[in-house]
Amino acid sequence: MTSRHHRQGLAIGLAHAMLADRAHPGGSTAAALVARACFCLACEGEPPRWLVGLAKAVDQRWKRFGQIDTLDSLAQFLAERVDWEGADLDDDEDDTGPADPLAAPATAGLQNDRPPAAWRVRHWLLRPAQTAQPTMGLPEIERPDLPTEEAWAAWLGLDPQRLRWLTHPSQHWREDHDRPHRRIAPHYRHVLLPKRSGGLRLLEVPRPDLREAQRHLLDGWLARIPTHEAAHGFVRGRNVHSFAQQHTGQACVLRFDLQDFFPSLGAARIRAFWRAWGYPEPVAQMLTRLCTTSTPASVRERLRDASPVDTMTTMALKRLARPHLPQGAPTSPTLANLCAFGLDLRLDGLARRFGAVYARYADDLVFSGPQRLYQEARALQAWVWAIAADEGFALNAAKQRQMRAHQQQRITGLVVNERPNLPREDYDRLRAALHRASHSGPADPATRARLQGQVAWACQSLAPTRVAKLQAMLARLDA
């Protein structure tokens, strides 16, 4: 019997050979695949029948689906196509048809008639890494043509050894309490902030050198990739107020919330994003590890202990334990918006079907429309749940809201019944904070900066008279 390691090694060697030079003119034909595979196996003379069958199967696969294979997917395909102790599993050959120029003659030597189990990889065809064409349908924008980790290190302004340390695979290894030395030092600082609803909010903040690399990746390329028009969070030129403006003056507003938005975007989806842009598998793996992290067990236990009953589910903790987009990294919001493009596209089409308007701000999904949308809310809800699940997301039932015109329609902290407006209780709370600061002596720089930011944000959604009052109170702090 052929050992599993032998089958795997032979499949990987043949996959390397078939992928080499496939982008050259004629490099993906069956004859070219057979020639490279024969060189890989040091097969002289006529090729064995099982190898010819493999080349035909790969040729047909690429003609049908395009050259979509990675090294792993092609090696798996080859391993499944071969009867390792006997003949090729391809039953599509017609023995009554015309002679195949690639087929081995009946008088071929016994040496080349050996089954796959008797062959060994003699030559590894390893070509320099190259970026491929992006997947069809992606926007035509200039991307960094960097096929190796060393090229990315130079582009990010890092030493190659430093980049390897920041993206070391041990960051994603399963935790082993008996051997803690297996993991290198964590690259993230974990901040736990109290939430109004109870429990703690987790921020995973990258260390300075990793944050600088992520910021360079964001500004140098990711920020240039367009997001869907319905996405308003973390998009240049759009904000909370542009999001709220989409739903102003509507008779019915429906709000949904994506559960664990950032943790639900795992490493597999981020790696698929990089692969879709044509980067080789090693580069895609490196960029994925650069932008994802796993939450340590001690932090997960702290979140579980501090959360109210049923708010921190087992599935949420499992998402944090796996590699995911960290909330706190510069690249996470943009990558999340890009990975949610399919969700936005389908929900926008769904809203048009119901005569409604759709927009998303991070994990907040909002539909608004005429009065009849309220009668159709149950059907719309079922569709939203189904589409979100199909796109790999889950909705939080506890945060779902239906708001009609006679109620306060509040989304992302703003009231949108007539126009985007700050709620009265928030306005009164800000006035009280300014009043206390003005009567407690000179405000320290941190307090003054915080109040200035709050006033600047509030003034974007207030009537001119209230804006004047807040600015006058803020000016007295500097007097």
Side-chain angles (χ1 to χ4, degrees), residues 32 136 404 455 467:
M136 185 179 300
R404 305 176 72 175
V455 169
V467 170

Side-chain angles (χ1 to χ4, degrees), residues 419-431:
R419 63 178 181 83
N421 192 18
L422 193 70
R424 179 59 185 262
E425 58 270 24
D426 292 350
Y427 170 73
D428 292 340
R429 191 180 300 112
L430 180 56
R431 283 190 61 191

Side-chain angles (χ1 to χ4, degrees), residues 174-175 260 263-267 293-297 300-301 303-304 312-324:
R174 182 174 297 177
E175 290 174 297
D260 304 324
S264 64
L265 295 168
T293 187
S294 301
T295 307
R300 301 199 306 271
E301 293 172 0
L303 286 170
R304 182 190 58 196
M312 181 56 67
T313 62
T314 302
M315 182 54 67
L317 294 173
K318 286 184 177 179
R319 292 190 184 104
L320 291 175
R322 299 166 184 165
H324 59 272

Side-chain angles (χ1 to χ4, degrees), residues 3 30 32-33 60 70 73 78 110 120 130 144 148 182 193 230 256 280 319 377 383 402 418 451 454 464:
S3 69
L33 296 176
Q60 293 173 2
T70 64
S73 65
L78 296 177
L110 295 179
R120 299 288 187 275
Q130 293 181 345
T148 63
R182 294 186 69 218
L193 302 175
F256 302 88
R319 292 190 184 104
W383 276 105
Q402 298 181 15
E418 297 180 359
L451 292 174
Q454 293 177 353

Side-chain angles (χ1 to χ4, degrees), residues 397-412:
K399 295 185 178 182
Q400 184 173 319
R401 297 289 185 272
Q402 298 181 15
M403 297 166 284
R404 305 176 72 175
H406 66 275
Q407 302 170 312
Q408 187 186 70
Q409 298 173 334
R410 185 168 179 172
I411 58 175
T412 58

Side-chain angles (χ1 to χ4, degrees), residues 12-75:
I12 292 176
L14 290 174
H16 270 295
M18 292 184 177
L19 290 173
D21 303 330
R22 66 171 176 172
H24 293 180
S28 61
T29 62
L33 296 176
V34 168
R36 295 200 297 273
C38 286
F39 179 78
C40 170
L41 303 179
C43 173
E44 299 179 357
E46 297 294 340
R49 291 192 51 168
W50 64 267
L51 189 59
V52 174
L54 276 186
K56 289 180 179 178
V58 174
D59 182 33
Q60 293 173 2
R61 174 181 172 89
W62 289 351
K63 285 180 180 178
R64 182 177 180 183
F65 302 107
Q67 297 184 8
I68 60 173
D69 278 309
T70 64
L71 176 64
D72 292 336
S73 65
L74 183 58

Side-chain angles (χ1 to χ4, degrees), residues 42 52 64 66 68 121 140 161 181 188 238 265 354 390-391 405 414 428 431 443 453 457 461 463 478:
V52 174
R64 182 177 180 183
I68 60 173
V121 176
E140 295 183 0
Q161 291 295 335
H181 59 277
Y188 287 83
R238 306 174 208 167
L265 295 168
F354 281 83
D390 192 52
E391 291 291 333
L414 296 176
D428 292 340
R431 283 190 61 191
W457 188 86
S461 306
D478 300 327

Side-chain angles (χ1 to χ4, degrees), residues 114-155:
R114 292 177 297 167
W119 293 89
R120 299 288 187 275
V121 176
R122 303 300 182 183
H123 304 285
W124 290 87
L125 273 71
L126 304 177
R127 298 291 189 262
Q130 293 181 345
T131 55
Q133 289 297 322
T135 301
M136 185 179 300
L138 290 178
E140 295 183 0
I141 62 173
E142 184 180 355
R143 53 161 188 169
D145 189 5
L146 307 172
T148 63
E149 296 182 17
E150 290 73 14
W152 273 100
W155 189 80

